[in-house]
Amino acid sequence: MKILLINGSPKGERSNTLKLSNAFIDGIRENYDESTYSSPLIVERIDVKTLNIMPCLGCFACWKNTPGKCCIKDDMQNVLEKILWADLVIWSFPLYYFSLPGKLKTLIDRQLPLNLPFMDRDPEGGGHPSRYDMAGKKTVLISTCGFYTAKGNYDSVIAQFDRMCGKGYQSIFCAQGELFRVDELKKRTDEYLDLVKVAGREFLSGGISKSTLNKLEEPLYPKDVFERMADTSWGVDEKGEKMDETLIFTKQMANLYNPSSYTGKDIVLEMDYTDVNRRYFILLTKSGSKVLEDFDGNVTTTVHTPYSVWLDIATNKIDGPTALFKRMYTVDGDFSLMMNWDKFFDGNTAVDKSDANFDNTPYGDSNLSDNFSTKTAKTIGNVFENNALDEKTSNTTSAKNNAKKTNMLCLLLGWMIFWIAPSIDLKWGSFLSVFTCCLIPLLFSNYKLIFYDKLSLALVGALSVSLLLGAPIIYIMPLSYFIFGIIWTVSAFFKIPLTAHYSLNNYGGDKALLNPLFVRTNRILTIAWGVLYLLTPIWSYFIMLSSASSFLGLINSALPIFMGIFTVWFQKWYPSKFAKG
Ligand SMILES: Cc1cc2nc3c(=O)[nH]c(=O)nc-3n(C[C@H](O)[C@H](O)[C@H](O)COP(=O)(O)O)c2cc1C
């Protein structure tokens, strides 16, 4: 198969659209089987920008004097040969004034030698038949445009190509095209490029599917977020004066604030760029966000960060949680903002620009926008949610497993019944314990049973049966605590400590496991649980020798409750303490 890619962007190699076209060809390449097509895949690209193509003279010499040959001697002859050579022509171009860039239009005009002069008896109004056999040749249009949506923008392009190629061509029109050049937005734009790749694959197997075309039509970002990003991506304030880079960056972040995350209290986030000695304040209120250069009141949270670190995070060189873990930045004040960063800065809700509180700020409301990426803000901020790794996680975890959450009760319930019931009544208590182990998988069928849950069920079952078979409870009970403690302690030395499997539910799911601070917090907690239960057999043994022996289970079952409360507290306290440096 021979593909001719006509890159009509005056930006040549730097074209946004070219990224899409390359992805489309990659998709074709991935599925291309030489034996099916009995020829290799050959791709040739012409950059219109570099060609010497003169405008058509309108002399019709190519029809009457030298049929099929243009009288102008320039690069166009070569282009026509390439068009005739190709099985598939991909027209790759930006939308300019709701149409094609001028030089590409010139190239199209100069295709006249490919047509015969006669009138096509086309019921829709005319055209000229092709001089050559074009049957079997295919056409694809790939284009980006600058506005929020492609809808309506391409009407004249579509009308033109409908007449030029008939209705048999396929097209990908992508709005918000300038975002493809923004490194910080790579995650989102790469998602789109992956989709274009899918389109390429599908095209090879018969045509781009309706569902892929529908997805390709979805805007990269919601309208207001995109427009705010686009407006300030130019880096100038409302007077057209150049803004400081760190200020743009801060405004970019503020831009993504979602007012629906408002907790009832205004927040002041201080951004202290330590290496360039600049600081700004982001006000987050019920109705929107605003960046201030000075602020006299109480600051809620201060992030001390070299600007270079923000940039590294923004360009994916490092993710926010890892940077925090490596102490590349510190956080003072209320840490809950960092913990809930995604909720505050999800970039999905329009900012109400009418907040009267903002009237006296140095930058007007019209300048509330930034070219900052949702992903950047997310990755920088949330110490417990590593969004850069979303994709990786979703690829590695089945959809079904993702839907099910873990539940620590699957682990604890069996042990708790075992510790309480047999101490009260040996026989029936042991039976109840075995019964509970059998029941747990059914009771918790909506949850994911992990290795530690299954191991616990097996161990509790075995210990209960041993009691029924006459093993002395005075040894079995302390042994059970010891085994429990061993499981926790040993798990602390594995990559994922035991508590992490459960607490990840509150921190964005499996992706939390890729966050080093989350894992460390849980490792400490797991060791604490482990040590507690390694010590429990000691007092348990003595309680069992005393008159309070039948209360042993109740006494020891209070421990998980206290430890649970401690766990919840520690999960908040430790990252905050760590972040203070
Ligand atoms: C002269 C000019 C005219 C443009 N006209 C439009 C337009 O009518 N509609 C639109 O949505 N974008 C318009 N744009 C934006 C481009 O289509 C957009 O930036 C595109 O992504 C550039 O693609 P490229 O990098 O492949 O050249 C225009 C850009 C320029 C420079």
Side-chain angles (χ1 to χ4, degrees):
M1 186 185 203
K2 292 166 287 202
I3 300 178
L4 176 65
L5 170 59
I6 301 179
N7 174 18
S9 169
K11 280 147 74 182
E13 190 72 48
R14 291 186 303 107
S15 156
N16 304 318
T17 319
L18 189 63
K19 293 192 173 97
L20 274 66
S21 305
N22 285 338
F24 188 81
I25 292 172
D26 285 348
I28 293 182
R29 195 173 277 124
E30 270 174 18
N31 256 22
Y32 192 80
D33 178 8
E34 283 195 14
S35 56
T36 314
Y37 293 88
S38 54
S39 65
L41 182 72
I42 307 171
V43 181
E44 292 229 7
R45 183 176 108 202
I46 54 173
D47 290 315
V48 178
K49 158 195 169 157
T50 62
L51 300 180
N52 173 27
I53 302 176
M54 307 290 283
C56 176
L57 295 174
C59 62
F60 294 111
C62 60
W63 279 358
K64 45 189 178 117
N65 302 346
T66 51
K69 295 266 172 293
C70 181
C71 61
I72 307 171
K73 298 291 166 253
D74 58 10
D75 290 338
M76 197 55 210
Q77 190 54 38
N78 190 27
V79 173
L80 294 180
E81 278 166 21
K82 288 265 160 67
I83 290 174
L84 291 174
W85 161 85
D87 302 310
L88 165 64
V89 178
I90 300 175
W91 298 86
S92 174
F93 58 91
L95 188 72
Y96 275 10
Y97 280 91
F98 311 99
S99 183
L100 305 167
K103 199 163 177 188
L104 187 64
K105 176 66 168 62
T106 301
L107 183 149
I108 288 175
D109 294 349
R110 291 283 306 281
Q111 288 186 109
L112 205 64
L114 299 183
N115 292 102
L116 291 166
F118 318 116
M119 292 298 157
D120 227 349
R121 304 291 187 261
D122 180 345
E124 282 190 28
H128 301 285
S130 178
R131 186 180 293 276
Y132 302 94
D133 179 10
M134 302 299 242
K137 287 186 185 289
K138 292 191 168 138
T139 303
V140 169
L141 308 193
I142 299 180
S143 177
T144 62
C145 67
F147 290 143
Y148 155 67
T149 173
K151 281 203 182 92
N153 255 352
Y154 281 91
D155 290 354
S156 66
V157 173
I158 294 168
Q160 177 172 3
F161 275 85
D162 279 358
R163 297 298 286 267
M164 273 168 55
C165 312
K167 304 249 164 158
Y169 66 94
Q170 292 217 273
S171 49
I172 296 173
F173 298 137
C174 170
Q176 308 186 12
E178 283 306 317
L179 301 185
F180 285 89
R181 69 181 158 85
V182 184
D183 274 353
E184 293 92 323
L185 299 179
K186 240 177 148 312
K187 175 160 188 271
R188 178 69 190 96
T189 49
D190 278 356
E191 273 170 17
Y192 192 91
L193 293 178
D194 282 345
L195 205 56
V196 177
K197 224 189 228 184
V198 171
R201 281 206 296 269
E202 291 177 353
F203 178 81
L204 188 69
S205 4
I208 310 172
S209 69
K210 190 93 192 95
S211 82
T212 305
L213 285 171
N214 286 344
K215 284 185 211 151
L216 285 167
E217 271 178 26
E218 279 167 26
L220 289 160
Y221 284 95
K223 186 172 187 298
D224 61 309
V225 174
F226 163 72
E227 286 176 353
R228 278 182 279 137
M229 290 198 287
D231 281 355
T232 48
S233 68
W234 308 109
V236 292
D237 63 20
E238 78 276 17
K239 293 186 197 123
E241 301 293 329
K242 224 170 159 25
M243 282 193 287
D244 178 73
E245 214 182 309
T246 48
L247 177 58
I248 300 169
F249 195 87
T250 312
K251 287 164 84 61
Q252 287 166 339
M253 185 125 54
N255 198 31
L256 292 164
Y257 171 60
N258 179 349
S260 69
S261 65
Y262 185 68
T263 54
K265 210 175 78 189
D266 288 2
I267 289 175
V268 182
L269 170 63
E270 182 182 2
M271 302 289 289
D272 175 20
Y273 300 106
T274 52
D275 52 348
V276 290
N277 209 14
R278 277 181 190 274
R279 58 182 67 215
Y280 299 103
F281 303 85
I282 307 178
L283 254 70
L284 306 175
T285 71
K286 197 176 174 184
S287 55
S289 63
K290 190 74 186 173
V291 174
L292 309 177
E293 290 195 65
D294 293 307
F295 183 74
D296 286 338
N298 287 337
V299 170
T300 319
T301 308
T302 304
V303 186
H304 307 278
T305 331
Y307 180 57
S308 56
V309 169
W310 283 108
L311 287 185
D312 282 352
I313 294 170
T315 50
N316 264 344
K317 290 196 184 113
I318 190 166
D319 63 78
T322 307
L324 180 62
F325 193 66
K326 290 188 171 170
R327 299 204 186 275
M328 293 163 93
Y329 63 93
T330 58
V331 181
D332 279 332
D334 185 352
F335 198 66
S336 59
L337 174 67
M338 307 302 284
M339 304 274 277
N340 295 300
W341 195 274
D342 279 7
K343 285 180 202 119
F344 287 106
F345 296 104
D346 73 358
N348 276 324
T349 308
V351 171
D352 178 349
K353 299 178 182 180
S354 63
D355 192 344
N357 298 333
F358 297 158
D359 283 348
N360 297 325
T361 56
Y363 294 93
D365 283 331
S366 60
N367 212 26
L368 264 170
S369 51
D370 300 296
N371 69 342
F372 199 64
S373 80
T374 308
K375 189 235 142 232
T376 303
K378 283 178 167 183
T379 312
I380 286 168
N382 198 328
V383 293
F384 268 176
E385 285 197 38
N386 191 336
N387 294 278
L389 300 154
D390 279 0
E391 213 172 321
K392 197 169 160 188
T393 316
S394 64
N395 285 344
T396 51
T397 319
S398 75
K400 205 174 165 201
N401 270 348
N402 267 346
K404 286 191 174 182
K405 289 185 170 181
T406 52
N407 187 331
M408 211 180 203
L409 268 185
C410 301
L411 173 100
L412 292 181
L413 194 61
W415 289 105
M416 286 169 79
I417 299 290
F418 179 76
W419 291 328
I420 296 171
S423 305
I424 297 169
D425 185 304
L426 186 70
K427 190 175 142 205
W428 291 111
S430 303
F431 266 127
L432 180 66
S433 190
V434 174
F435 182 66
T436 308
C437 289
C438 301
L439 208 62
I440 283 175
L442 298 174
L443 276 180
F444 292 89
S445 59
N446 283 338
Y447 291 90
K448 186 164 72 182
L449 283 193
I450 62 165
F451 167 75
Y452 295 107
D453 303 329
K454 292 174 193 163
L455 180 68
S456 290
L457 295 180
L459 287 170
V460 171
L463 288 165
S464 310
V465 170
S466 77
L467 288 180
L468 287 171
L469 294 177
I473 190 166
I474 193 151
Y475 296 125
I476 294 295
M477 240 354 126
L479 177 68
S480 71
Y481 290 114
F482 182 73
I483 292 173
F484 190 72
I486 285 284
I487 295 174
W488 283 75
T489 312
V490 169
S491 94
F493 296 94
F494 284 112
K495 201 170 154 219
I496 304 169
L498 201 149
T499 51
H501 288 285
Y502 303 100
S503 48
L504 58 82
N505 294 324
N506 299 327
Y507 296 98
D510 285 355
K511 62 193 174 187
L513 300 175
L514 301 162
N515 181 327
L517 188 52
F518 172 83
V519 174
R520 178 188 276 194
T521 307
N522 280 280
R523 200 176 301 287
I524 297 170
L525 279 169
T526 301
I527 289 175
W529 280 77
V531 169
L532 177 77
Y533 279 94
L534 285 179
L535 295 175
T536 306
I538 301 171
W539 65 72
S540 298
Y541 179 77
F542 290 109
I543 292 174
M544 291 188 77
L545 290 178
S546 74
S547 56
S549 65
S550 54
F551 296 108
L552 173 75
L554 284 175
I555 296 165
N556 284 345
S557 292
L559 286 176
I561 296 167
F562 288 122
M563 275 304 280
I565 296 168
F566 169 74
T567 300
V568 171
W569 169 80
F570 187 82
Q571 277 170 348
K572 290 195 165 64
W573 174 81
Y574 180 72
S576 158
K577 183 179 155 32
F578 184 93
K580 283 191 172 76

